[in-house]
Amino acid sequence: MKTDSTFVLEDNRLPKDSNQPVSDKFAFFEHVLIQPDFEQIKISSKVNVETGSFIPTLDATIYIEKDTKVWMTLQAFVITVARGIATPEGIKGQDKTSKTYIDSDFDYLNNLLNVNFIDYKSLEKILMGRTFVKINDSQFILTRNAQGFKMASRVNQKIVTDEKTREYKITLQYDKNYDLLAVNLKDVLTPDELEVSYSNWEEIKGIRLPKSVKIIIKGSKSSQILLENTKFDFSRMDTPYSVPSSYKKIEIQ
């Protein structure tokens, strides 16, 4: 799927909903658009999924090789229940409890999140807490408040893919030190809305990483995913992935 210097707040007493202009926009963009320098990272997480049906807390291992793959395994009560891998070409995943698997492009993930712009790179950025939507000075308004910085689209952001065109109102909130705190995308023509928030940031080997990632999906499908990252490791690891011949493929509609 294809898709078309440090700044210090002058007044820490600014109210949360204040919209004060930012004088040094270059410093802001320099910080929030720069990508972390790493080769690979292993993230140990606790995953809570709310869909209206009971799903136990899952133990997850997420392994990212920059620009190459995101590999994940999920366990419940020390038993592996699912495994998946994403590459720039698409997504593969298997559910060991139902003995089914998927092999899809990124339409699968976009359908899950009620959006149309997720590709491999944006998935990597979501997991790492980096700005995963396009922002620029001409189409967004940058202001500051007591939390830090706010970016809000001044015009609806049109995202065109091979399948569909959608328009979003987009708001992003950053901390005073440029950590991403929240992203909200609202489809202007449907009830669909996506919120991704980050908290409990830590610096590990020179890289800022969020320990809590919350994804809230609203609209035609509603659910919530909470990742509580408990450990970060920068060593390389094996990422086995194969599908037993007895598994049944699920066709993505």
Side-chain angles (χ1 to χ4, degrees), residues 53-205:
S53 302
F54 172 74
I55 299 176
T57 298
L58 301 171
D59 293 310
T61 299
I62 304 169
Y63 178 76
I64 303 171
E65 280 188 17
K66 190 175 183 181
D67 300 327
T68 303
K69 63 183 172 183
V70 174
W71 178 90
M72 178 184 292
T73 184
L74 297 171
Q75 291 186 322
F77 310 111
V78 199
I79 299 173
T80 299
V81 296
R83 182 170 289 166
I85 187 168
T87 67
E89 288 70 43
I91 295 176
K92 297 179 181 182
Q94 57 184 273
D95 183 339
K96 294 183 177 295
T97 59
S98 63
K99 295 186 177 181
T100 57
Y101 73 97
I102 61 167
D103 189 343
S104 172
D105 58 18
F106 280 89
D107 282 349
Y108 172 79
L109 192 55
N110 281 284
N111 290 335
L112 178 67
L113 298 177
N114 286 355
V115 294
N116 75 322
F117 61 87
I118 301 295
D119 57 13
Y120 175 80
K121 197 60 189 175
S122 55
L123 171 61
E124 203 175 87
K125 290 178 180 178
I126 288 173
L127 294 172
M128 296 287 290
R130 285 349 189 242
T131 303
F132 58 87
V133 294
K134 292 182 179 180
I135 58 173
N136 56 59
D137 188 37
S138 63
Q139 296 192 4
F140 283 77
I141 300 171
L142 175 61
T143 54
R144 59 187 180 88
N145 53 38
Q147 283 184 292
F149 303 91
K150 178 182 177 181
M151 288 286 288
S153 54
R154 65 172 78 235
V155 295
N156 295 337
Q157 298 299 292
K158 182 180 292 188
I159 299 178
V160 181
T161 69
D162 296 338
E163 301 297 326
K164 63 180 66 174
T165 299
R166 299 182 72 170
E167 294 187 30
Y168 301 91
K169 291 182 178 179
I170 302 177
T171 304
L172 306 96
Q173 180 69 45
Y174 298 85
D175 205 343
K176 299 174 185 178
N177 66 349
Y178 307 102
D179 287 341
L180 181 59
L181 298 178
V183 181
N184 178 274
L185 298 103
K186 175 70 177 68
D187 188 305
V188 299
L189 298 179
T190 75
D192 291 346
E193 186 174 353
L194 176 67
E195 296 180 1
V196 184
S197 60
Y198 302 92
S199 58
N200 300 326
W201 283 81
E202 288 190 357
E203 184 166 326
I204 302 173
K205 293 190 176 181

Side-chain angles (χ1 to χ4, degrees), residues 4 13 20 30 33-34 41 60 124 154 176 199 203 234:
D4 291 333
R13 297 168 297 175
Q20 299 296 318
E30 184 181 42
L33 296 181
I34 192 170
I41 183 170
E124 203 175 87
R154 65 172 78 235
K176 299 174 185 178
S199 58
E203 184 166 326
F234 292 89

Side-chain angles (χ1 to χ4, degrees), residues 197-232:
S197 60
Y198 302 92
S199 58
N200 300 326
W201 283 81
E202 288 190 357
E203 184 166 326
I204 302 173
K205 293 190 176 181
I207 298 178
R208 299 285 298 172
L209 294 165
K211 296 192 71 175
S212 296
V213 181
K214 180 182 287 188
I215 301 172
I216 301 175
I217 305 159
K218 302 178 183 179
S220 54
K221 300 184 291 291
S222 297
S223 58
Q224 178 174 299
I225 304 168
L226 176 63
L227 302 176
E228 292 290 352
N229 298 326
T230 58
K231 183 179 179 182
F232 300 97

